[in-house]
């Protein structure tokens, strides 16, 4: 048998090396896609400034705390969500044009392309988070609890983004090509964005709505990120974030894997 030095497509080595190569492709596509880049970086930063200008004083008077500590975590999570929606849209488009099928028949590891999409999303969320934290510094956001909690805040954003990203990916590969997934996901994201503790204090919502707002995925993540930045209780919100993250991953990982395989092999 002739040794070619090329790893078997089912090997861990092939999965690792090919995932890195395809991750580079995903990141290059992201950087060259100006509308998506604008939606992921520029629009969240502008939204942060508008929230501060329009609602800053009102929220500050109601909570006794600088509104930046709610606005910055809120916008970071919104940036993660809308970036994932853009990634899901691109995946659905690549399925429609046949690119997924062409990748699937190549002699590469079956999990490499899907892994690359998840990893590139994590890199995108990390970059977006750091950029928005820099923008948040301009409106008064500060880390007062030290380096460890600051890293923890970024980890919370990554965990939330991973869970939401798996959900959007599962929907993208299981929806029919050209299905209007963007309007539905945008509507769902907008509801989360406007009904949480970052946009307005919990006490400002009607009593019947407060339990829903308090326990929807964004609110504990925002409150946890706020506590990591400026101090406050962590345990309850950490548990809620962990539960939501684990639940979304558990529910959507299998549909994402199965849907990707079916989408790639469809004719």
């Amino acid at each position: 048998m002739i040794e070619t030095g090329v790893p078997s497509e089912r090997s861990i080595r092939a999965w690792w090396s090919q995932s890195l190569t395809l991750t580079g492709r995903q990141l290059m596509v992201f950087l060259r896609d100006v509308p998506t880049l604008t939606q992921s970086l520029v629009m969240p930063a502008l939204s942060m400034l508008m929230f501060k200008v329009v609602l800053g004083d009102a929220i500050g008077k109601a909570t006794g705390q600088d509104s930046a500590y709610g606005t910055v975590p809120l916008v970071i999570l919104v940036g993660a969500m809308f970036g994932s929606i853009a990634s899901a849209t691109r995946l659905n488009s690549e399925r429609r044009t046949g690119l997924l099928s062409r990748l699937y028949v190549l002699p590469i590891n079956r999990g490499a392309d899907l892994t690359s999409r998840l990893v590139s999303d994590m890199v995108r969320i990390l970059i977006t988070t750091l950029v928005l934290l820099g923008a948040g510094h301009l409106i008064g956001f500060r880390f007062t609890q030290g380096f460890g909690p600051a890293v923890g805040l970024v980890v919370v954003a990554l965990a939330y983004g991973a869970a939401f990203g798996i959900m959007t990916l599962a929907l993208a590969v299981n929806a029919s090509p050209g299905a209007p997934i963007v309007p539905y996901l945008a509507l769902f994201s907008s509801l989360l964005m406007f009904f949480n503790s970052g946009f307005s204090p919990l006490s400002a919502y009607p009593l019947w709505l407060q339990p829903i707002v308090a326990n929807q995925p964004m609110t504990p993540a925002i409150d946890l990120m706020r506590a990591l930045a400026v101090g406050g209780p962590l345990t309850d919100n950490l548990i809620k974030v962990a539960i939501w993250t684990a639940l979304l991953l558990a529910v959507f990982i299998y549909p994402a894997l199965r849907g990707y395989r079916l989408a790639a092999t469809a004719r």
Side-chain angles (χ1 to χ4, degrees), residues 145 226-228 230-235:
Q145 305 301 299
R226 181 192 286 119
L228 288 168
V230 76
L234 298 173
T235 305

Side-chain angles (χ1 to χ4, degrees), residues 125-236:
I125 292 169
L126 176 60
I127 293 172
T128 301
T129 300
L130 296 177
V131 169
L132 293 177
L133 286 174
H137 188 82
L138 300 176
I139 63 172
F141 186 86
R142 300 289 187 273
F143 288 107
T144 65
Q145 305 301 299
F147 180 75
V151 173
L153 184 150
V154 177
V155 171
V156 172
L158 289 172
Y160 184 93
F164 191 87
I166 283 289
M167 183 186 75
T168 57
L169 190 150
L171 294 175
V173 293
N174 284 285
S176 59
I181 59 173
V182 173
Y184 293 119
L185 284 173
L187 175 61
F188 175 68
S189 300
S190 297
L191 289 173
L192 293 180
M193 181 177 70
F194 285 105
F195 293 96
N196 60 69
S197 62
F199 188 77
S200 182
L202 191 61
S203 59
Y205 293 97
L207 288 176
W208 64 269
L209 189 59
Q210 288 182 18
I212 299 174
V213 174
N215 293 289
Q216 65 110 315
M218 285 191 77
T219 293
I222 290 169
D223 290 343
L224 181 57
M225 294 167 78
R226 181 192 286 119
L228 288 168
V230 76
L234 298 173
T235 305
D236 287 349

Side-chain angles (χ1 to χ4, degrees), residues 66-150:
D66 191 332
S67 64
Y69 291 101
T71 300
V72 173
L74 166 63
V75 174
I76 287 174
L77 299 184
V78 170
M81 289 194 299
F82 280 94
S84 293
I85 293 173
S87 297
T89 304
R90 186 170 67 248
L91 173 58
N92 198 265
S93 174
E94 290 179 355
R95 173 190 178 184
R96 187 175 63 253
T97 60
L99 179 59
L100 285 191
S101 297
R102 290 195 290 273
L103 285 172
Y104 200 78
V105 299
L106 291 175
I108 61 177
N109 187 278
R110 289 288 181 257
D113 184 51
L114 188 59
T115 301
S116 72
R117 294 176 188 275
L118 298 176
V119 173
S120 63
D121 255 7
M122 292 300 95
V123 173
R124 173 187 57 76
I125 292 169
L126 176 60
I127 293 172
T128 301
T129 300
L130 296 177
V131 169
L132 293 177
L133 286 174
H137 188 82
L138 300 176
I139 63 172
F141 186 86
R142 300 289 187 273
F143 288 107
T144 65
Q145 305 301 299
F147 180 75

